[in-house]
């Protein structure tokens, strides 16, 4: 076997993290995207800006604030402690929370674009057929926006797999719990184990390329059909 | 100022600048040596007019960067292995390696009464997380693991480990309270011979192999008199007194 047991563990952990984060963001991100696509509120601008923040913020800023907020004197830390969950840094669920923040725009923006591309017509037609707003959302908007969801899901998953800075800052590099692939590679490099670093880095490179290739080939086909 | 004296001053300044033109020295510095390096750099710059550009980080990372052509002229490592390897691989000047400080390990907590001066807290285990630097890459992490092995506590405490990428991050985990305690370099929590905050157990130096921190002149600094001057300055009494003040041995 090319990869060591530790490497495989890191890969499995990373896939699990990315899967859970994508699932959570599908649930949280969809209503936000829907609201942003539909609203005429003056809050649309500020909320959109907040959603996009992780795209431009360096991971060190996000990691630093998360470390403070999730810590014993931070507001999230005090909340989790009073709920009996304990502190989140250095735990798998801490990484999940951090990644949900970090990957938020990757879910919201493609879904919002898909909702906006629907236009008002299908929704109006549904309304004249006496569909309730909730009914319209699930039977009209969701199926039509499905390609947007697929793009968002893939990007969120891949982006979480590629996360490094935030995980490094709040993860504490614990095997099986917070040592994801990117951190494991960094570890190999730091320990001067360059051959191990190469193997795992190559896996990452090929994986990322294949994911993006699949996404673009599929999008291209979709465009030709329409 | 009288013309004659002004003239003399100008002449002296000219002479000084002719002997040692102010230069910029790029130095890679082990994270644990950040605080002393800042003071040493300030004193050195005042004395020589040279300017030090210091990068602080993990020695393993610097090693990889230097191997791949990073423009550092001097490495102040956190161990004696990286400098020796750099010399052996032809990336550093043979014969230039020397120990500029011997690091001391401390068990530290940001809370005032958590750590006793015998380290009994390690046995009572009255904490959720204990931070240390990555033992694979950082000598302070390796020393901590050696100590815990010696105490027979490695197995019981391992589930509580959180490891920092370097000793600075380890310190950050503890100072933000996310880990209640952990192993850091004495230099990080001590100024002027006193503990700055929290509680600590300065681990007796016979409990772990000495953390020799070696300096080495890298190939790109070979011809630079300013880099040589800095290495000599590190060996000076003034610099060594300052290094001791931060809790290093020499």
């Amino acid at each position: 076997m090319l990869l060591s047991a530790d490497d495989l563990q890191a890969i499995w952990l990373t896939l699990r993290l990315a899967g859970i984060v994508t699932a959570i963001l599908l649930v949280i991100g969809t209503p936000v995207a829907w609201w942003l696509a539909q609203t005429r509120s003056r809050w649309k601008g500020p909320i959109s800006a907040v959603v996009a923040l992780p795209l431009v913020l360096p991971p060190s800023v996000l990691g630093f604030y998360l470390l403070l907020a999730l810590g014993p004197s931070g507001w999230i830390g005090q909340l989790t402690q009073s709920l009996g969950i304990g502190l989140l840094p250095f735990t798998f669920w801490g990484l999940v929370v951090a990644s949900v923040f970090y990957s938020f725009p990757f879910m919201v923006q493609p879904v919002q674009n898909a909702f906006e591309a629907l236009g008002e017509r299908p929704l109006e037609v549904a309304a004249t057929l006496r569909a309730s707003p909730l009914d319209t959302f699930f039977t009209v908007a969701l199926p039509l926006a499905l390609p947007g969801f697929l793009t968002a899901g893939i990007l969120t998953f891949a982006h979480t797999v590629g996360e490094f800075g935030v995980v490094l800052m709040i993860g504490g590099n614990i095997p099986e719990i917070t040592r994801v692939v990117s951190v494991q590679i960094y570890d190999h490099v730091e320990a001067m184990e360059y051959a191990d670093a190469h193997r795992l880095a190559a896996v990452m490179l090929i994986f990322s390329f294949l994911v993006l290739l699949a996404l673009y080939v599929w999008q291209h086909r979709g465009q030709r059909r329409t | 100022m009288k013309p004659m004296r002004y003239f003399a001053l100008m002449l002296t300044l000219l002479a000084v600048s002719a002997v040692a033109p102010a230069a910029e020295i790029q130095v890679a510095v082990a994270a644990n040596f950040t605080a002393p390096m800042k003071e040493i750099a300030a004193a050195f710059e005042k004395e020589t007019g040279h300017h030090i550009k210091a990068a602080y980080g993990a020695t393993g990372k610097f090693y990889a960067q230097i191997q791949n052509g990073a423009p550092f002229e001097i490495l102040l490592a956190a161990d004696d292995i990286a400098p020796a390897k750099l010399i052996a691989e032809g990336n550093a000047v043979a014969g230039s390696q020397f120990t500029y400080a011997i690091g001391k390990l401390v068990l530290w907590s940001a809370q005032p009464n958590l750590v006793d001066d015998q380290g009994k807290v390690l046995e009572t285990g009255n904490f959720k997380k204990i931070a240390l630097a990555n033992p694979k890459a950082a000598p302070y992490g390796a020393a901590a693991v050696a100590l815990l092995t010696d105490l027979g506590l490695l197995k019981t405490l391992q589930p509580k480990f959180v490891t920092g990428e370097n000793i600075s991050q380890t310190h950050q985990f503890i100072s933000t309270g996310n880990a209640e305690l952990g192993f850091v370099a004495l230099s990080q929590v001590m100024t002027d011979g006193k503990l700055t905050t929290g509680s600590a157990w300065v681990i007796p130096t016979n409990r772990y192999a000495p953390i020799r921190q070696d300096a080495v002149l890298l190939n790109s600094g070979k011809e630079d008199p300013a880099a040589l001057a800095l290495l000599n300055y590190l060996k000076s009494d003034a610099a060594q007194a300052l290094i001791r003040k931060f809790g290093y041995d020499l």
Side-chain angles (χ1 to χ4, degrees):
Chain A
M1 190 64 208
L2 276 171
L3 296 167
S4 70
D6 285 351
D7 289 348
L8 290 174
Q9 226 157 41
I11 290 176
W12 167 235
L13 178 72
T14 307
L15 295 178
R16 208 155 55 96
L17 175 69
I20 291 173
V21 168
T22 308
I24 291 177
L25 277 178
L26 269 175
V27 176
I28 304 179
T30 305
V32 175
W34 178 249
W35 183 81
L36 283 173
Q38 296 296 313
T39 189
R40 289 191 179 85
S41 157
R42 63 199 166 95
W43 287 100
K44 182 175 174 173
I47 300 284
S48 302
V50 170
V51 167
L53 264 184
L55 289 176
V56 292
L57 277 182
S60 49
V61 172
L62 214 57
F64 176 61
Y65 279 137
L66 280 169
L67 193 65
L68 292 183
L70 301 177
S73 22
W75 61 277
I76 303 180
Q78 286 181 343
L79 180 74
T80 53
Q81 276 181 313
S82 67
L83 292 174
I85 305 170
L87 291 173
L88 284 175
F90 320 129
T91 64
F92 177 74
W93 289 100
L95 289 197
V96 170
V97 170
S99 307
V100 162
F101 279 106
Y102 194 50
S103 294
F104 203 57
F106 290 84
M107 178 59 76
V108 171
Q109 291 187 346
V111 173
Q112 182 189 344
N113 290 341
F115 282 147
E116 280 171 351
L118 295 181
E120 288 172 9
R121 180 103 185 111
L123 307 181
E124 281 167 4
V125 171
T128 56
L129 294 171
R130 293 198 186 166
S132 72
L134 207 63
D135 200 12
T136 309
F137 177 78
F138 280 108
T139 56
V140 180
L142 265 191
L144 284 174
L146 210 57
F149 276 97
L150 205 62
T151 306
I154 292 173
L155 282 180
T156 303
F157 189 89
H159 185 248
T160 310
V161 167
E163 200 178 323
F164 173 65
V166 174
V167 176
L168 191 74
M169 286 193 76
I170 70 152
N173 198 354
I174 307 168
E176 294 173 66
I177 296 173
T178 60
R179 187 181 292 163
V180 296
V181 173
S182 57
V183 174
Q184 174 84 347
I185 294 172
Y186 188 71
D187 242 34
H188 282 319
V189 175
E190 289 242 296
M192 306 177 196
E193 300 162 349
Y194 295 163
D196 297 313
H198 267 310
R199 277 193 286 271
L200 204 52
V203 170
M204 267 306 245
L205 184 69
I206 294 165
F207 166 80
S208 308
F209 174 74
L210 289 180
V211 166
L212 291 176
L213 182 71
L215 183 66
Y216 286 125
V217 165
W218 173 75
Q219 276 185 343
H220 183 66
R221 275 202 198 138
Q223 274 163 8
R224 270 199 311 202
R225 218 181 294 138
T226 48
Chain B
M1 199 181 277
K2 285 180 186 163
M4 258 325 268
R5 271 172 65 187
Y6 182 72
F7 182 66
L9 180 71
M10 285 307 289
L11 209 64
T12 325
L13 282 177
L14 263 173
V16 168
S17 58
V19 171
E24 215 172 61
I25 318 161
Q26 294 207 35
V27 191
V29 183
N32 74 76
F33 203 64
T34 305
M37 188 61 201
K38 286 193 172 147
E39 286 197 19
I40 288 172
F44 177 74
E45 285 175 358
K46 217 167 120 190
E47 204 175 293
T48 62
H50 297 316
H51 183 62
I52 292 179
K53 275 173 90 178
Y56 303 98
T59 298
K61 181 175 61 196
F62 285 136
Y63 170 82
Q65 292 173 344
I66 291 162
Q67 257 196 333
N68 291 290
F72 299 117
E73 296 170 69
I74 290 174
L75 170 67
L76 300 185
D79 60 16
D80 51 6
I81 301 163
K85 276 182 107 167
L86 286 166
I87 291 177
E89 289 157 1
N91 290 312
V93 180
S96 69
Q97 183 176 353
F98 70 96
T99 304
Y100 66 92
I102 297 172
K104 280 196 202 162
L105 187 67
V106 63
L107 179 67
W108 177 66
S109 169
Q111 301 169 28
N113 296 313
L114 188 71
V115 179
D116 54 287
D117 59 4
Q118 298 291 316
K120 291 273 177 261
V121 63
L122 290 173
E123 282 161 46
T124 54
N126 193 17
F127 49 87
K128 291 198 191 78
K129 298 281 178 211
I130 179 164
L132 67 163
N134 182 356
K136 263 180 15 183
Y140 285 92
V145 168
L147 173 78
L148 292 176
T149 313
D150 189 36
L151 292 170
L153 291 170
L154 187 66
K155 280 261 149 58
T156 36
L157 290 181
Q158 217 151 23
K160 296 180 175 181
F161 276 8
V162 289
T163 49
E165 183 255 318
N166 61 40
I167 202 75
S168 292
Q169 205 195 11
T170 311
H171 180 269
Q172 174 197 328
F173 286 160
I174 307 164
S175 63
T176 56
N178 282 298
E180 293 100 320
L181 73 174
F183 292 97
V184 292
L186 185 57
S187 55
Q188 293 176 294
V189 295
M190 186 167 164
T191 36
D192 288 327
K194 277 194 305 250
L195 194 67
T196 35
T197 52
S199 52
W201 173 39
V202 182
I203 290 134
T205 44
N206 58 2
R207 305 300 294 270
Y208 55 93
I211 304 170
R212 271 180 216 292
Q213 303 197 186
D214 279 9
V216 72
L217 181 65
L218 303 168
N219 281 352
S220 48
K222 211 188 224 164
E223 313 286 329
D224 185 0
L228 289 171
L230 177 59
L231 286 177
N232 281 328
Y233 186 78
L234 278 169
K235 295 175 192 164
S236 72
D237 289 345
Q240 297 204 340
L242 200 146
I243 292 170
R244 275 202 194 87
K245 204 180 75 181
F246 279 93
Y248 292 95
D249 275 342
L250 262 171

